[in-house]
Amino acid sequence: MSQEEQALRLILKTVSEGIYGLDPHGAITFINPAGARMLGYEPEALVGRCVLQGGSEGWTSLGFPLEAAVQEGCHEDLFWRADGSCFFTEYTISRIQEQGADLGAVITFRDIGARKQAELELHMAHGELQRLSALKDEFLSTISHELRTPLAAIRNAVAIVAKEKAGPLNETQARFLSMTREHVDRLHRLVDDVLDFQKLEAGSMTYHPTVADLRPLVLEVANGYSTVFAERRIQLQVQLPSHPLTARFDRDRLAQVLLNLLSNAAKFTPEGGRVRLSGEVVGNDVRLGVEDSGKGLQEGDMERVFHKFVQVDSSLTRPVGGTGLGLAICKAIIVDGHGGRIWAESPQGHGARFWLALPLREPEGDWLVD
Amino acid sequence: MNRTLLVVDDEPSILETTRFILESEGYRVLAARDGEEALEVLRRERPPIVLLDVMIPKLNGFDVCRAIKADPELRSTFVLVLTARGQRADEAMALEAGADTYMRKPFDDEEILACIEAVFARLDAQRGVP
């Protein structure tokens, strides 16, 4: 035996992969010890055996004749052991040809059971996570709905008493009831946020957009919120152009976004401050802005404020509550729901500015045109 | 005209507060806790307006609404369906079931009173009450 042959034998004996050769008819010409061990045979018991005749329906799932069966390259399949059990393998087939004649093939295989098991476990863990995530969504949805009913009842009951429909109140009673109302409303908004967030996560938020002028909506939202500003002695300026700001939008959802931006502005602006709500056409966009005279945002917070659960709090004049979902919801509504953009700016010493841009549209169904 | 309305809700405290709000404005309020009871009261008392919650036992709000609109005797009842905010599919469902209008919960007392006042005014006008 030549030195080279000896070296080759030693390699075949030592490698951990299984290696076997096939003749053109599919009979095994040799198999290395690792291969035989994996298959549960003595090497001698396999040599000369046709793959088709072995094991349970052939101990590999290869079919023959060789020309038809052999697809060169890397495959994954089940190989059968002598005892009838099977295991996952990754195997490579290389055909052996010499001067155009088919001399057979050499197959290298290894047991990938552990990897398959890990893959299976990963797959199951993924499934479990998905199940838990769906469960979380369902739980959030249920709990939000369940929280709303008692909240609605409290709201009604407090309104009855606060409006003195159940008898006159003294000043202290009225003050505490007003506080109760404010907090019930706040709790309500938080529950709504959680429910909206759950919908966004589950991808079940629906939009009903129409093409319309944004100005009436802006005015309506500003008017609806003006008492809050008045109570906090913050001046609310509304600045709108004389021409329409036409865009395609879902009225309720856009009102929700504006309300959220205004409510943030009110929270972060000290008493005696100023908030400006404006609209304009910039290029092909309708742009709405909410600018406050609060302490503004840090450079790094400009993006972060739109992430869920993020609150830019630090040292405010008064504690500000919230779920940290408001702006994340705004962003989803504007970007995903309307194909628009929303961003924050905070020029040094000028408070925070939030902008949203929606694609400008031509007015539809304008029957007043001559 | 008969200023009676039926409020249908399975939540007793909602029922009671709504009743109080409406009664303090001089309306006569009937109450039902589920869909079947609602139809019973409607057939017996014939209130001109019904405030109908969607999520009620036995027959849900939509089913009750359909039953009202399919019944020649009850068809003229004004049906106001109360939907939960954020359940906008419910609004379309309500109108499809034949509701005359819907209102989102939670509603303000002013809101519901203004709506009911308007409906009674319209019913009065239809019946030629000055």
Side-chain angles (χ1 to χ4, degrees):
Chain A
M1 204 184 292
S2 75
Q3 246 186 338
E4 194 187 4
E5 254 176 69
Q6 266 187 347
L8 287 175
R9 272 175 196 280
L10 195 62
I11 289 171
L12 278 179
K13 230 176 120 174
T14 319
V15 291
S16 59
E17 275 88 1
I19 299 173
Y20 63 91
L22 293 177
D23 72 11
H25 309 290
I28 293 169
T29 52
F30 74 89
I31 184 158
N32 72 339
R37 199 164 50 243
M38 275 191 262
L39 294 166
Y41 290 93
E42 290 302 317
E44 303 77 45
L46 285 165
V47 172
R49 218 160 149 171
C50 193
V51 168
L52 258 183
Q53 294 162 341
S56 127
E57 309 295 314
W59 48 256
T60 83
S61 54
L62 275 178
F64 282 87
L66 203 57
E67 294 84 9
V70 169
Q71 271 196 313
E72 283 197 300
C74 192
H75 310 269
E76 280 181 16
D77 213 334
L78 288 173
F79 276 22
W80 297 85
R81 295 189 189 97
D83 64 6
S85 64
C86 61
F87 61 105
F88 266 110
T89 59
E90 185 181 80
Y91 64 95
T92 311
I93 306 181
S94 312
R95 289 172 73 162
I96 307 167
Q97 283 173 311
E98 207 166 65
Q99 295 169 344
D102 231 328
L103 298 182
V106 60
I107 289 117
T108 316
F109 68 97
R110 59 200 176 91
D111 187 339
I112 55 165
R115 196 184 84 196
K116 280 284 166 190
Q117 182 64 32
E119 275 175 18
L120 189 70
E121 277 165 15
L122 197 65
H123 183 75
M124 282 169 68
H126 182 68
E128 178 67 3
L129 273 181
Q130 278 185 323
R131 198 185 63 80
L132 287 174
S133 175
L135 202 65
K136 176 209 72 183
D137 283 346
E138 199 189 310
F139 171 75
L140 281 179
S141 173
T142 311
I143 203 81
S144 312
H145 282 124
E146 288 299 314
L147 285 170
R148 270 184 185 171
T149 307
L151 270 177
I154 295 170
R155 206 165 179 260
N156 281 353
V158 171
I160 289 167
V161 182
K163 288 179 186 172
E164 304 195 315
K165 286 186 176 176
L169 294 172
N170 68 33
E171 208 176 300
T172 316
Q173 288 166 335
R175 187 161 56 81
F176 284 119
L177 267 179
S178 151
M179 192 190 292
T180 312
R181 280 187 94 178
E182 197 179 300
H183 285 267
V184 169
D185 283 347
R186 188 167 137 202
L187 197 52
H188 226 284
R189 283 196 300 275
L190 295 177
V191 171
D192 284 347
D193 269 7
V194 172
L195 204 59
D196 278 346
F197 172 71
Q198 175 270 325
K199 274 195 190 150
L200 289 169
E201 291 279 286
S204 62
M205 181 81 99
T206 52
Y207 295 95
H208 305 268
T210 51
V211 173
D213 185 1
L214 274 162
R215 290 175 306 169
L217 180 71
V218 172
L219 285 174
E220 194 183 300
V221 173
N223 287 335
Y225 213 63
S226 60
T227 47
V228 175
F229 283 100
E231 275 167 22
R232 293 184 181 162
R233 289 191 290 144
I234 297 168
Q235 188 196 347
L236 175 65
Q237 302 172 337
V238 183
Q239 213 168 332
L240 292 169
S242 54
H243 55 80
L245 299 171
T246 310
R248 188 164 189 272
F249 61 93
D250 179 320
R251 227 187 121 73
D252 292 344
R253 290 297 176 197
L254 210 75
Q256 183 185 350
V257 171
L258 288 177
L259 201 62
N260 202 297
L261 295 179
L262 282 182
S263 136
N264 275 350
K267 271 190 222 167
F268 292 98
T269 305
E271 281 204 4
R274 165 190 69 72
V275 171
R276 195 169 84 107
L277 173 61
S278 64
E280 58 186 331
V281 172
V282 179
N284 290 319
D285 287 336
V286 171
R287 199 177 278 192
L288 300 180
V290 175
E291 301 164 64
D292 66 45
S293 64
K295 62 191 286 254
L297 293 165
Q298 301 287 325
E299 184 62 39
D301 289 335
M302 236 74 89
E303 282 273 334
R304 230 168 56 84
V305 286
F306 294 103
H307 296 179
K308 58 193 180 195
F309 307 123
V310 168
Q311 285 201 300
V312 183
D313 217 336
S314 60
S315 58
L316 282 157
T317 45
R318 60 175 170 278
V320 173
T323 48
L325 292 173
L327 285 171
I329 292 169
C330 287
K331 184 174 181 182
I333 289 175
I334 295 300
V335 176
D336 305 335
H338 289 82
R341 288 174 294 133
I342 187 164
W343 69 98
E345 289 171 2
S346 190
Q348 201 66 49
H350 284 93
R353 299 177 178 177
F354 285 87
W355 299 101
L356 64 91
L358 300 180
L360 179 67
R361 295 285 291 253
E362 288 294 318
E364 273 179 9
D366 194 349
W367 58 87
L368 292 176
V369 172
D370 286 336
Chain B
M1 114 147 248
N2 173 11
R3 300 186 100 71
T4 302
L5 24 80
L6 169 64
V7 181
V8 190
D9 203 310
D10 61 333
E11 186 62 40
S13 48
I14 301 271
L15 215 49
E16 197 186 328
T17 50
T18 310
R19 176 201 283 274
F20 190 96
I21 291 166
L22 295 169
E23 280 180 349
S24 54
E25 293 300 315
Y27 295 107
R28 179 169 164 250
V29 178
L30 308 167
R33 303 275 289 272
D34 63 60
E36 284 174 8
E37 194 189 350
L39 285 172
E40 252 174 61
V41 177
L42 279 162
R43 296 205 169 101
R44 197 175 62 230
E45 304 268 346
R46 300 288 175 80
I49 302 182
V50 54
L51 306 189
L52 195 53
D53 187 39
V54 174
M55 301 287 282
I56 46 172
K58 295 186 186 170
L59 287 172
N60 70 31
F62 303 131
D63 293 337
V64 174
C65 189
R66 273 185 216 106
I68 292 171
K69 296 301 175 182
D71 185 333
E73 301 280 307
L74 298 179
R75 189 173 293 157
S76 62
T77 312
F78 188 95
V79 181
L80 194 163
V81 172
L82 300 170
T83 61
R85 183 196 162 276
Q87 302 289 306
R88 280 200 274 181
D90 282 3
E91 293 163 9
M93 284 275 281
L95 297 179
E96 218 169 280
D100 293 275
T101 191
Y102 59 81
M103 187 169 279
R104 288 178 198 171
K105 288 210 295 186
F107 46 80
D108 276 330
D109 45 354
E110 281 103 350
E111 215 178 336
I112 197 89
L113 286 171
C115 179
I116 286 162
E117 197 47 52
V119 175
F120 273 120
R122 202 171 86 190
L123 294 177
D124 285 347
Q126 277 168 9
R127 282 163 213 195
V129 177

